[in-house]
Amino acid sequence: MPLSKDKKQKLKKLKAPKYNPIKGIDSSLFALHNSNEGLDAVGSGPISIQYKLAPLPPPLLQSCMDMFEDNMGQLYSDSSWGLNLPEKRAELDHNDARFLLVMSGDDDKKEGSLVGYCHFRFDTDDDDDPKELVGYVYELQVSKDFQGHGVGRRLMDIVHEVAKKASLSKVMLTVFDANEGAARFYNTLGYVIDELSPGEEADYKMMSKTM
């Protein structure tokens, strides 16, 4: 059954810039300082999670690009997709892009430095034959100095709350087969191989978590 008229209208509402996906979500999820001893050990100062729409300010967009290339550049280069940085920048700069940005800094008057981010969108489960509305995580990146301290898990916790608030059927994402650590991480969050994932001939898998 194709996407219903009601779902099309709902998707349009969710994609509208005026829609605030984090409104009503527990504010404690957006503060990381003093909630994780590991982060305190890093000595980063206060850490907070902010929600922003695309387009990001150019310096912040560049920070996202730099983190992506540092974490994922080799994986992309070695994959069937290849590494195309202009294409990735355009993806991050797309009107539908929504961001959860993890920022650190001791001065509340300054934006601080980027610790990690999640790029997600409100989308359909399948471009060719859409049936359900989903949240799609395009990127989950954490600075190497901050990995292993619960930052990525907290970002995903917020994404799941966003999806539940919007009554989405599931959250989806894509993982390279070579990125075994990421696959294990998503498994611990309850993600499984999605029914729409390509076969064994592909070097990546689509994963999903039902909401």
Side-chain angles (χ1 to χ4, degrees):
M1 181 182 296
L3 203 64
S4 68
K5 181 179 179 180
D6 286 346
K7 288 180 179 178
K8 289 179 180 178
Q9 291 176 339
K10 181 179 178 179
L11 183 59
K12 183 177 180 181
K13 176 183 176 182
L14 293 173
K15 287 187 174 187
K18 66 180 181 180
Y19 175 72
N20 183 354
I22 66 169
K23 185 178 181 180
I25 293 178
D26 185 357
S27 61
S28 67
L29 287 173
F30 295 84
L32 282 164
H33 189 58
N34 294 328
S35 67
N36 185 313
E37 293 181 1
L39 281 175
D40 289 344
V42 175
S44 60
I47 297 176
S48 63
I49 300 175
Q50 307 170 8
Y51 167 71
K52 288 187 182 295
L53 297 162
L56 296 177
L60 194 50
L61 176 61
Q62 187 58 51
S63 293
C64 288
M65 285 294 300
D66 291 343
M67 192 176 297
F68 163 79
E69 188 172 8
D70 188 38
N71 288 346
M72 302 294 294
Q74 193 60 53
L75 280 167
Y76 268 74
S77 293
D78 293 342
S79 75
S80 59
W81 294 3
L83 179 63
N84 187 327
L85 293 178
E87 185 178 83
K88 179 57 65 175
R89 180 180 289 273
E91 185 179 281
L92 292 172
D93 215 26
H94 193 281
N95 286 338
D96 289 342
R98 303 291 182 266
F99 295 91
L100 295 170
L101 304 168
V102 188
M103 309 298 296
S104 71
D106 294 313
D107 188 344
D108 291 338
K109 295 181 181 180
K110 295 180 181 179
E111 190 169 51
S113 58
L114 185 69
V115 168
Y117 69 94
C118 177
H119 164 204
F120 70 95
R121 299 188 195 181
F122 298 106
D123 213 333
T124 57
D125 56 346
D126 189 356
D127 290 338
D128 297 325
D129 186 22
K131 293 181 175 65
E132 299 293 339
L133 302 186
V134 304
Y136 211 108
V137 174
Y138 277 67
E139 293 294 337
L140 180 68
Q141 301 298 337
V142 178
S143 172
K144 290 179 178 177
D145 289 340
F146 289 83
Q147 291 177 12
H149 298 298
V151 177
R153 183 175 293 270
R154 180 63 64 86
L155 287 170
M156 292 303 295
D157 286 345
I158 296 174
V159 169
H160 297 156
E161 291 302 311
V162 166
K164 291 173 185 176
K165 176 192 169 188
S167 299
L168 302 177
S169 65
K170 58 187 174 182
V171 174
M172 301 179 68
L173 48 87
T174 303
V175 180
F176 287 125
D177 291 345
N179 198 354
E180 296 178 355
R184 287 194 298 270
F185 168 72
Y186 291 121
N187 283 151
T188 67
L189 298 181
Y191 282 79
V192 297
I193 303 300
D194 191 81
E195 61 184 359
L196 296 174
S197 186
E200 294 297 326
E201 71 280 359
D203 60 357
Y204 66 92
K205 296 290 185 289
M206 295 170 66
M207 303 183 74
S208 64
K209 177 183 174 73
T210 301
M211 293 293 104

